[in-house]
Amino acid sequence: MGIFFTYLGLEFKKSIKVWKKTVCGMFLMLAVLAVGVAAVSIVLLQSQVFPVVDVAFTVPQGDKMTRMAMRVVEGMDSVKSICRFRYADRETALLKLREGEVQAVIDLPENFYEDVDSGVNTPAHIYFSSEGGDFALPVEVFRELLADGVSLLQTAEAGVYASLSIADQYSAPVGKEQIGNQIALLYMGEVMKRDGIFVKNVCSPWGTVNDVQYYFCAMVLLVLLMGGLNYGFLYQRQGRVVARKLALYGMGRWKMSLAKVTVMTGMLWAAGLLLYAAGCAASAVSGLGFIQPHVKTACGLLLPCVSMAAYFHAVYACAGNRMQGMTAVLALNLIMVIGSGLLLPAAYLPEMVGRLGEWMPLHVWSRYCLDLLFGTNPFWNPENLGDMLRMAGICAAGTGIGALALWKDT
């Protein structure tokens, strides 16, 4: 065991020198990845944006009650997500509709609110653009929203008229105006609470986390993966002579593999902790609050680092030398990044690619790290037991494959 620890100490000293030189490169890589990830995120978000329909309202200048009622409607979330109101006179609104600046015009006559309040059915004229284009679907959604609003008003009106009819038949002790106002108020109170009948289910390509959290985790994993290109110094050709001499003293390939995996794990974990600390600091300074510092989370980062180190060891040992190993690591990393849905979520990938990506180690690392960094129970979650066992399997397989490759190589 003395030879093992001596060899381990020498490899650590060598790795520390290399690690110091690569810290600046790591943060430069992080900056480049941050820009790239931000660009991808913006493109994805823009592709998912639902175009808002511009609707022109022709409300007379002196009709304050109608304008007040329209502001109440305009402030509803269900309305703001579909359309945006603009106020103009009738001629200007119709001109904007012809020029394509607005997609619909609602022409309200003078004293519209007073007529509705007094029971006069004054019609409102609605004009839609005949051109489709990018607004074809949003305009159809707006039509449905408008039809729903009309249906609500018709239901309220029917309820008021029915109540007044019953009041006439049974000689109600209060006046019709008071009955109508009371029923209208009760109905509006129920309408304002209509969102409560829906259950909010968010369907997101990022799962239970938001886009900032998802891409922060993606950047951490990318930096760690690409950092594997720096570990070729452990597999230089001159190391074979040292390995043969160590074998004479009982330093087998398993012990040598374990030492190399341990050295790479230490370097990966140190880099991961730096990135985690940087993320916590950025979260606190920016006020986004997307990640919180936790000791258990820092400890939990060790498991994917061990698994990733075993993966690097297997690739470098099978490649046989430094340059071929670096090329193989780069190629495999790119395949995993594209196929496992790290930068581009699996929901946007072809179904076959998404299924293949689920078998890649990066998919397991990503899923585990997302729950570790942003889950409710850092470091240990019974639901992640399967991922932890898979990472343990990757560690054992990578170390074993690397030991076998070193044995054959020497």
Side-chain angles (χ1 to χ4, degrees):
M1 292 300 292
I3 298 177
F4 172 77
F5 286 111
T6 301
Y7 177 75
L8 183 63
L10 292 174
E11 292 294 291
F12 259 121
K13 288 181 180 179
K14 190 191 305 182
S15 66
I16 290 173
K17 293 180 181 179
V18 175
W19 193 80
K20 287 180 179 179
K21 295 178 181 179
T22 58
V23 167
C24 294
M26 182 185 71
F27 280 100
L28 178 61
M29 183 189 303
L30 179 62
V32 174
L33 287 174
V35 175
V37 166
V40 171
S41 179
I42 291 173
V43 171
L44 288 177
L45 288 176
Q46 290 298 324
S47 66
Q48 296 300 307
V49 169
F50 188 86
V52 178
V53 176
D54 288 309
V55 180
F57 264 98
T58 62
V59 182
Q61 290 291 335
D63 197 348
K64 295 182 180 180
M65 294 302 297
T66 302
R67 285 180 175 271
M68 186 181 300
M70 293 313 303
R71 288 193 182 96
V72 173
V73 175
E74 185 180 5
M76 296 180 179
D77 292 337
S78 57
V79 176
K80 288 192 295 184
S81 62
I82 300 297
C83 59
R84 179 172 49 240
F85 291 169
R86 297 184 180 183
Y87 298 95
D89 57 79
R90 189 174 185 275
E91 290 75 15
T92 304
L94 293 177
L95 178 62
K96 289 183 177 181
L97 181 65
R98 286 193 295 269
E99 294 178 350
E101 295 184 26
V102 297
Q103 287 73 52
V105 173
I106 299 180
D107 184 18
L108 298 179
E110 196 170 353
N111 300 322
F112 179 77
Y113 179 85
E114 285 77 5
D115 290 348
V116 173
D117 186 52
S118 61
V120 178
N121 293 323
T122 303
H125 299 282
I126 304 173
Y127 305 91
F128 289 99
S129 174
S130 59
E131 298 180 2
D134 295 337
F135 289 94
L137 179 60
V139 168
E140 288 300 318
V141 173
F142 175 72
R143 285 177 184 267
E144 292 294 329
L145 177 65
L146 191 62
D148 293 340
V150 172
S151 178
L152 289 173
L153 291 176
Q154 289 174 340
T155 303
E157 186 179 31
V160 172
Y161 288 162
S163 301
L164 293 178
S165 177
I166 295 297
D168 281 340
Q169 293 180 20
Y170 294 96
S171 302
V174 295
K176 291 184 178 180
E177 183 177 354
Q178 187 176 354
I179 294 174
N181 290 338
Q182 184 64 25
I183 294 175
L185 288 174
L186 290 173
Y187 183 78
M188 289 303 297
E190 293 300 320
V191 168
M192 291 300 180
K193 296 187 296 183
R194 69 190 188 281
D195 291 339
I197 66 176
F198 299 101
V199 177
K200 292 185 178 180
N201 292 322
V202 179
C203 297
S204 170
W206 302 291
T208 58
V209 299
N210 57 40
D211 54 340
V212 176
Q213 293 172 329
Y214 181 88
Y215 282 116
F216 173 76
C217 180
M219 283 192 295
V220 171
L221 289 174
L222 276 174
V223 171
L224 295 181
L225 275 176
M226 294 306 175
L229 300 175
N230 298 320
Y231 305 143
F233 68 93
L234 296 171
Y235 301 88
Q236 295 176 349
R237 289 188 178 276
Q238 54 266 36
R240 297 179 183 179
V241 179
V242 178
R244 293 190 185 99
K245 290 185 177 180
L246 290 174
L248 297 176
Y249 294 98
M251 185 74 173
R253 299 298 179 264
W254 275 100
K255 291 182 180 180
M256 193 173 297
S257 296
L258 183 60
K260 293 180 184 296
V261 170
T262 303
V263 170
M264 286 188 286
T265 299
M267 296 176 67
L268 287 168
W269 195 29
L273 292 177
L274 279 177
L275 294 172
Y276 177 53
C280 293
S283 175
V285 172
S286 64
L288 295 176
F290 63 91
I291 191 171
Q292 300 296 329
H294 204 293
V295 176
K296 292 183 178 180
T297 301
C299 295
L301 286 172
L302 182 60
L303 183 56
C305 290
V306 175
S307 167
M308 204 174 290
Y311 152 70
F312 291 141
H313 174 60
V315 175
Y316 274 110
C318 291
N321 61 64
R322 178 179 181 178
M323 293 307 299
Q324 291 181 0
M326 292 173 62
T327 304
V329 167
L330 179 61
L332 290 174
N333 286 351
L334 292 176
I335 292 173
M336 287 198 297
V337 167
I338 296 172
S340 64
L342 186 66
L343 283 184
L344 193 64
Y348 298 105
L349 298 176
E351 184 178 358
M352 183 59 67
V353 176
R355 289 181 179 179
L356 293 175
E358 293 179 359
W359 294 91
M360 295 180 181
L362 184 56
H363 179 76
V364 179
W365 296 329
S366 176
R367 189 167 55 189
Y368 172 82
C369 288
L370 280 171
D371 189 75
L372 176 71
L373 296 172
F374 311 111
T376 56
N377 189 12
F379 183 64
W380 170 252
N381 188 341
E383 296 180 359
N384 287 340
L385 181 60
D387 290 339
M388 298 176 74
L389 292 175
R390 290 186 184 94
M391 284 188 286
I394 294 171
C395 181
T399 305
I401 292 172
L404 182 61
L406 290 178
W407 175 74
K408 286 187 174 182
D409 192 42
T410 55

